[in-house]
Amino acid sequence: MDTKQLIEEGKTSLGIELGSTRIKAVLINEKGTPLAAGSHEWENRYDNGIWTYTMEDVWEGLQDCYQDLLKDVKEQYGATVTTFGSIGFSAMMHGYLAFDKEDNLLVPFRTWRNTITEEAAGKLTKEFNYNIPQRWSISHLYQAILNKEEHVKDVAFFTTLAGYVHWKLTGKKVLGVGDASGMFPIDIKTGNFDQKMVDRFNELTAPEGFSWKLQDIFPKVLTAGENAGELTKEGAALLDTSGNLKPGIPVCPPEGDAGTGMAATNSVAVRTGNVSAGTSVFAMIVLEKELTKVYPEIDLVTTPDGALVGMVHCNNCTSDLNAWVNLFDEFADCLGAKVDKNQLFSLLYHKALEGDADCGGLISYNYFSGEPVTGFDEGVPLFVRRAEDKFTLANFMRTHLYSSLAALKAGLDLLFKEEEVKVDEMFGHGGLFKTKGVGQRIAAAAMNTPVSVMETAGEGGAWGIALLASYMQNKKEKESLQEFLNQTIFNGQAGSKMEPVEEDVEGFENFMKRYMAGLSIEHAAVTSLK
């Protein structure tokens, strides 16, 4: 069957993800091959002390993104889209969207980016003996209660952005378990919200006299592969302003961007994980067992099929590195040398591999903003050396590459060294891995674990949610998500795998001793430069 016929007969899956700066749509065939894509750029806004997007932003963005996809399909294949085999929606995790019983939005959407829930997150972490980060939905709800906000008594339903979009298009108040795990802790045994913690929350809030209990206002939790409803007539009209899209299309459970990243990198199996390294960096590792204690540096979430995941998230990664490359670009320009930017990155990154394994004594802190993992609310980029250190271009560049992953390593070391977590392979994606073999080698050294980079990893979360939609539609009986990804999607795609170099591992450990000991220098810089 040719692609045009495949598309027109609906033998495809569509994934749409609402990221923080871009909404992206990807259309795939049954083997997971991307056929067409659409996108829409958008930005959060800072209104009355809250980072938010309006609901008009959401729907205009989704509609524009979908029309962009249709345009791509028409230009490539001359096809008109009326249906799909399945659809999936995903979005940035966490945040707070609360509605009353008439389905009215009670307060503007509070995104994951808001850091206004410190009191609530701290109290819940203590009460639950479980790390509850500020960005989680339950932190936002509890902070609103502590603040005595008028709207809380009227809450009839609260959810994430993906859950909201799915509800409006299908009528179903549900959430994939991965996204749900960023609202409230999940009991891995039941695959649902942890009942003991739900009961404890109800006890804490009982004196307020609300008419609702927590379990009444949660979305229903579903696992990858389950049917999460169908596109309604109203939903089809809302998504496709051209009016061609037919209702009745099966829709998979809505997911968060962490879960779709795991699907897109084939890292849903126990003892695998992925590192996403760009402006910020996070690593996720699928755990074999529960952790022995609470770590503020480690979030516990789940895969889309409900396995426990340890996640370390850092605010800073490549921004400072990019700033130094821009400086060298400016220098080249002063010399009258026109250098291609990608070529310059490649040249400087490869130069770093010629440096000493421990960076010759140099240290840098890439803190454009605060870094909670190492205890900073604010940051300033800082480069430090002693007069006797080996100040060469190779060591300088290597220092900045190490620094981009140093805070992440500090968090991951708690898993590897304190909890003795075992990882067979990590999958790298994002800008740090664009220069072949360099970021990958540094990441392998940081984690002392093989790191693989797949050609398809650049497709991102929209591709990941399309895969989850395809899994729901095309899986064989009792076929697990891991089996589906291995056999149908990634079959034969090993990617390029790099083992850690022993000398690099030892050098990075020595660098980290200096880095951790020098955090007081960064604290002094933040204080002095205010």
Side-chain angles (χ1 to χ4, degrees):
M1 190 185 293
D2 72 359
T3 305
K4 182 182 182 205
Q5 192 182 346
L6 195 79
I7 291 168
E8 291 186 334
E9 292 186 12
K11 292 185 166 59
T12 55
S13 293
L14 173 67
I16 302 182
E17 180 159 287
L18 296 94
S20 52
T21 58
R22 186 169 66 145
I23 303 173
K24 186 177 178 185
V26 173
L27 185 66
I28 62 171
N29 64 17
E30 289 177 0
K31 293 287 181 191
T33 308
L35 304 174
S39 68
H40 170 85
E41 304 293 320
W42 71 337
E43 274 294 345
N44 55 190
R45 48 184 89 197
Y46 194 61
D47 283 348
N48 297 316
I50 300 287
W51 288 106
T52 188
Y53 301 83
T54 67
M55 298 305 98
E56 290 74 27
D57 293 339
V58 172
W59 295 111
E60 286 168 14
L62 270 170
Q63 290 164 355
D64 185 55
C65 175
Y66 185 76
Q67 289 304 314
D68 196 43
L69 172 87
L70 296 185
K71 185 174 163 222
D72 191 32
V73 169
K74 181 65 85 177
E75 284 173 2
Q76 282 198 71
Y77 310 107
T80 300
V81 177
T82 60
T83 189
F84 305 97
S86 55
I87 307 180
F89 298 96
S90 61
M92 51 197 132
M93 287 174 70
H94 319 297
Y96 181 71
L97 279 154
F99 301 86
D100 65 16
K101 60 180 187 296
E102 272 85 45
D103 298 341
N104 299 307
L105 183 66
L106 289 166
V107 287
F109 172 32
R110 298 171 183 180
T111 78
W112 63 272
R113 194 177 177 187
N114 289 289
T115 51
I116 52 175
T117 62
E118 186 176 3
E119 184 188 2
K123 285 188 173 177
L124 292 177
T125 296
K126 191 177 173 186
E127 290 290 342
F128 294 166
N129 192 30
Y130 194 101
N131 184 31
I132 306 294
Q134 283 206 52
R135 59 187 183 277
W136 281 28
S137 309
I138 195 65
S139 297
H140 284 279
L141 175 63
Y142 192 47
Q143 191 65 53
I145 293 169
L146 295 176
N147 293 349
K148 305 287 183 191
E149 292 187 39
E150 182 65 24
H151 82 271
V152 180
K153 69 180 189 322
D154 298 320
V155 175
F157 175 55
F158 80 123
T159 189
T160 64
L161 182 55
Y164 164 71
V165 169
H166 182 96
W167 166 41
K168 288 299 175 187
L169 296 177
T170 65
K172 302 288 184 187
K173 295 178 177 178
V174 300
L175 208 56
V177 65
D179 204 9
S181 71
M183 284 192 77
F184 192 88
I186 295 289
D187 180 343
I188 299 301
K189 298 177 194 71
T190 65
N192 208 332
F193 295 117
D194 188 292
Q195 191 57 49
K196 284 182 182 170
M197 295 186 203
V198 169
D199 293 342
R200 182 68 195 121
F201 186 89
N202 288 333
E203 286 170 15
L204 284 173
T205 55
E208 304 293 334
F210 298 131
S211 60
W212 52 263
K213 294 275 195 292
L214 189 56
Q215 61 270 26
D216 305 330
I217 62 173
F218 267 139
K220 183 183 178 186
V221 181
L222 299 175
T223 302
E226 290 189 74
N227 185 299
E230 294 180 345
L231 189 68
T232 60
K233 188 178 174 185
E234 297 78 14
L238 190 54
L239 182 61
D240 182 11
T241 52
S242 65
N244 291 324
L245 190 60
K246 294 174 183 171
I249 302 164
V251 186
C252 75
E255 262 303 342
D257 50 2
T260 59
M262 286 185 261
T265 52
N266 194 21
S267 48
V268 299
V270 166
R271 292 173 67 120
T272 66
N274 73 88
V275 182
S276 174
T279 307
S280 63
V281 61
F282 64 82
M284 313 186 71
I285 295 171
V286 188
L287 304 173
E288 294 178 276
K289 60 184 192 310
E290 303 259 358
L291 302 182
T292 60
K293 61 180 182 181
V294 176
Y295 296 91
E297 303 88 349
I298 298 166
D299 296 2
L300 292 173
V301 291
T302 78
T303 62
D305 55 349
L308 187 66
V309 173
M311 177 181 183
V312 178
H313 184 280
C314 303
N315 290 344
N316 302 283
C317 185
T318 58
S319 296
D320 196 33
L321 192 53
N322 294 347
W324 283 107
V325 174
N326 287 338
L327 191 75
F328 288 120
D329 187 38
E330 195 180 331
F331 174 66
D333 199 42
C334 288
L335 289 176
K338 293 291 174 197
V339 185
D340 175 74
K341 201 65 168 287
N342 290 330
Q343 192 184 345
L344 184 61
F345 267 101
S346 180
L347 178 80
L348 291 168
Y349 273 37
H350 280 102
K351 188 69 183 172
L353 298 184
E354 297 173 20
D356 294 307
D358 68 348
C359 303
L362 314 183
I363 319 174
S364 86
Y365 297 95
N366 64 337
Y367 297 178
F368 264 51
S369 63
E371 194 52 82
V373 170
T374 49
F376 286 84
D377 294 328
E378 297 174 65
V380 292
L382 184 67
F383 171 71
V384 184
R385 68 186 177 100
R386 296 171 304 181
E388 66 269 24
D389 291 332
K390 296 178 188 171
F391 187 40
T392 64
L393 179 60
N395 279 339
F396 182 79
M397 287 310 300
R398 195 175 183 111
T399 300
H400 288 292
L401 280 164
Y402 276 20
S403 175
S404 66
L405 296 176
L408 181 76
K409 179 170 168 56
L412 286 176
D413 278 352
L414 295 171
L415 289 175
F416 296 146
K417 294 174 182 178
E418 300 281 323
E419 294 287 330
E420 297 181 349
V421 167
K422 299 286 183 283
V423 185
D424 297 326
E425 190 173 8
M426 295 289 284
F427 295 87
H429 54 117
L432 187 70
F433 299 101
K434 276 185 182 170
T435 301
K436 206 168 173 63
V438 181
Q440 192 176 358
R441 179 170 160 178
I442 302 296
M447 297 180 287
N448 195 13
T449 301
V451 174
S452 292
V453 176
M454 291 187 173
E455 298 298 323
T456 49
E459 296 294 346
W463 185 59
I465 190 66
L467 297 180
L468 292 171
S470 182
Y471 170 61
M472 176 194 71
Q473 187 68 6
N474 300 312
K475 70 179 190 300
K476 303 183 186 84
E477 195 180 352
K478 294 186 178 172
E479 184 179 31
S480 71
L481 177 59
Q482 184 190 337
E483 288 165 341
F484 174 78
L485 291 174
N486 283 344
Q487 291 159 21
T488 303
I489 306 302
F490 293 96
N491 191 7
Q493 288 185 44
S496 61
K497 186 174 182 177
M498 192 172 279
E499 299 284 338
V501 177
E502 197 175 329
E503 189 188 354
D504 291 350
V505 174
E506 196 179 322
F508 211 133
E509 289 292 343
N510 288 331
F511 172 84
M512 284 303 291
K513 286 172 188 166
R514 291 197 312 277
Y515 181 92
M516 298 305 286
L519 287 172
S520 56
I521 310 168
E522 173 69 15
H523 276 294
V526 170
T527 306
S528 304
L529 296 176
K530 271 190 176 176

